[in-house]
Amino acid sequence: MPAPLLVLGGVLGLQGGAALTTGLYPVVGPAGVVALRLVIAAIVLVAVWRPGWRWDRTTWSLALGAGTLIAVHHLSYYEAVERVPLGAATTMEFIGPFAIALVSSRRPADLLWAALAAAGVVLLSGSGVPLDAAGLLCGLLAGCCWGGYILVGKRLAAHVPDGRGLALAVCWGALLSLPYGIVQAGPRLLDPSVLAVAAAVAVLSSVLPYTFQMEALRRLPPGVFGILTSLEPAVGALIGLVFLAQHLALPQWAGVAAVALASIGAGRASRGSGRDSGDDGEVSGGYGRVSGEDGRVSGGDGERDRI
């Protein structure tokens, strides 16, 4: 499947799964949802990939780092979704990928994109439907973790050329999140009706999107990946409107659009700046060279370790 379709499929899965989880909040709370989602996803990924335990120190460091970022991202994002509409939470979360695209561009003119994104956040949080400040801050924390995951996940995808690294990362994220879920939900985590919905959410929001995104990160530089995920705030807002009846005022819709457009602009500048310097992160460039039918990443002089 082409890398852009992988990214878009991941976006739809993440937002659709987030919409499904809202029905579980009254029963197990956000931490319970995260614990169930990651535990079930870890079981599925381990069954599929069978990662084993014999890895070098670099692989373990990358997997544990990615898993920690996944756990904190999920906990903060679902706390945000419980407090503010899905589109608002996703827009705040998207500041992370936007920052990756912006930093990668290295052009003074991209301050305009930063200003557009800032204006979008102001429009979202300061006009129209009142939004909970704690929810917006949780969304911003989720964005920081998501930006970090893009960088760490890129290295993990280059270092482990299949889904075994992802399986390790999700297992660690599940272990980190499980105590919080037990404290918040207790025995309600084992309710059959809760487990059924959580299993659907785990496949839709974790197994498929993270598998798609890990494969896309293996083929794409972080800046281009950020461009392709620019639809996520709008997709979240639309899913929230259609399936959850979550309404935003017109200025807040403009804020969502501003953040998405700013990320597209910064990402395009990042890609153009990479071409100018001869390091555009194409498949055969500094991000690793893909060779062979299994898509393994190869290359000398530390190519696999470059972001």
Side-chain angles (χ1 to χ4, degrees):
M1 185 181 296
L5 291 182
L6 289 171
V7 178
L8 294 178
V11 167
L12 290 172
L14 285 167
Q15 295 306 308
L20 278 179
T21 60
T22 57
L24 296 178
Y25 290 157
V27 183
V28 297
V33 169
V34 171
L36 286 173
R37 169 180 168 176
L38 288 181
V39 167
I40 295 172
I43 292 171
V44 173
L45 288 170
V46 167
V48 171
W49 290 107
R50 300 181 181 181
W53 305 105
R54 296 182 180 180
W55 296 97
D56 57 31
R57 182 177 299 179
T58 300
T59 301
W60 277 112
S61 298
L62 292 172
L64 295 181
T68 301
L69 289 166
I70 287 172
V72 179
H73 166 269
H74 281 35
L75 289 167
S76 54
Y77 179 69
Y78 282 115
E79 288 286 349
V81 170
E82 187 185 34
R83 291 170 167 80
V84 297
L86 184 60
T90 304
T91 300
M92 297 302 294
E93 176 204 30
F94 203 71
I95 296 300
F98 166 73
I100 296 297
L102 187 66
V103 170
S104 301
S105 66
R106 304 185 186 91
R107 291 185 177 185
D110 290 325
L111 291 175
L112 295 175
W113 298 121
L116 180 60
V121 171
V122 170
L123 285 171
L124 180 68
S125 59
S127 59
V129 179
L131 300 177
D132 182 76
L136 294 176
L137 288 175
C138 285
L140 186 59
L141 175 60
C144 293
C145 293
W146 185 235
Y149 174 78
I150 290 175
L151 297 179
V152 177
K154 177 69 180 178
R155 294 192 64 183
L156 181 61
H159 198 73
V160 182
D162 54 31
R164 291 175 295 166
L166 175 63
L168 290 174
V170 174
C171 281
W172 178 244
L175 288 174
L176 290 178
S177 64
L178 188 57
Y180 296 97
I182 293 174
V183 168
Q184 189 168 89
R188 295 190 300 276
L189 292 174
L190 301 178
D191 183 279
S193 60
V194 170
L195 287 174
V197 178
V201 170
V203 173
L204 189 62
S205 289
S206 291
V207 176
L208 294 180
Y210 281 115
T211 300
F212 288 173
Q213 290 169 351
M214 188 65 73
E215 179 62 25
L217 282 168
R218 189 175 288 114
R219 306 185 202 174
L220 298 171
V224 177
F225 184 87
I227 295 173
L228 294 173
T229 55
S230 298
L231 289 175
E232 192 162 347
V235 170
L238 288 172
I239 288 178
L241 176 65
V242 174
F243 294 102
L244 303 175
Q246 294 176 340
H247 296 277
L248 295 174
L250 185 59
Q252 291 171 317
W253 279 101
V256 171
V259 172
L261 288 173
S263 184
I264 292 172
R268 288 177 64 86
S270 167
R271 186 172 55 180
S273 134
R275 289 198 189 98
D276 294 342
S277 63
D279 184 20
D280 59 357
E282 294 292 342
V283 175
S284 61
Y287 292 94
R289 197 166 50 242
V290 177
S291 63
E293 292 181 355
D294 58 358
R296 291 182 179 274
V297 180
S298 63
D301 301 326
E303 277 186 335
R304 291 191 308 176
D305 292 329
R306 295 192 63 188
I307 300 300

